[in-house]
Amino acid sequence: MVLLRQLLGDVLRRLRVRQSRTLREVSTLARVSLGYLSEVERGQKEASSELLASICGALGVPLSQVLREVSDQFALAELQHAPVLSDDVPERERLPIAETVPGAITDSVFPEVNDMVAA
């Protein structure tokens, strides 16, 4: 199972390394201890939203961009673990998408979403 904190740490580390910046430099700018930033990057600590905003500020990257990249990585990880529908399985034996993909939103749960999408 992929943990959100691990993906977030990977994205933050990748951004820092891409900028050729050290942990010390980013931790100083973000006003967080070097050890704690290292643990966040390794996925060992869950960072608060305030701390994430501070780290993103130190990296000069919008928090929304980091969260988008984490979301994309998480979606890929979920797809790798999702059951694959085979053409050999009759339609009557297939589970609805809401039962095969955890967290899937169905029309019956949020009918107002269809109204917003249709508009």
Side-chain angles (χ1 to χ4, degrees):
M1 175 171 73
V2 177
L3 296 176
L4 185 60
R5 69 175 185 255
Q6 290 173 330
L7 291 176
L8 182 59
D10 289 344
V11 168
L12 291 172
R13 175 179 283 134
R14 198 173 316 119
L15 286 168
R16 179 180 58 77
V17 169
R18 219 180 283 155
Q19 295 177 9
S20 300
R21 298 175 74 188
T22 64
L23 269 172
R24 184 172 308 283
E25 179 184 357
V26 175
S27 70
T28 300
L29 290 171
R31 295 189 177 130
V32 61
S33 76
L34 182 104
Y36 197 82
L37 179 58
S38 175
E39 288 179 310
V40 168
E41 282 192 358
R42 288 182 281 139
Q44 295 177 336
K45 293 285 184 187
E46 300 240 8
S48 68
S49 57
E50 292 87 357
L51 181 62
L52 287 175
S54 183
I55 295 168
C56 290
L59 291 169
V61 178
L63 177 57
S64 60
Q65 178 183 334
V66 170
L67 294 177
R68 196 172 312 122
E69 190 168 336
V70 170
S71 176
D72 291 346
Q73 294 294 323
F74 204 87
L76 288 173
E78 285 180 326
L79 286 174
Q80 291 174 350
H81 293 93
V84 177
L85 293 179
S86 169
D87 291 335
D88 298 335
V89 178
E91 183 67 33
R92 68 181 183 285
E93 293 179 17
R94 295 182 187 180
L95 293 174
I97 190 72
E99 293 179 31
T100 58
V101 178
I105 298 175
T106 62
D107 296 345
S108 60
V109 177
F110 295 106
E112 62 274 11
V113 171
N114 282 340
D115 296 338
M116 290 175 9
V117 171

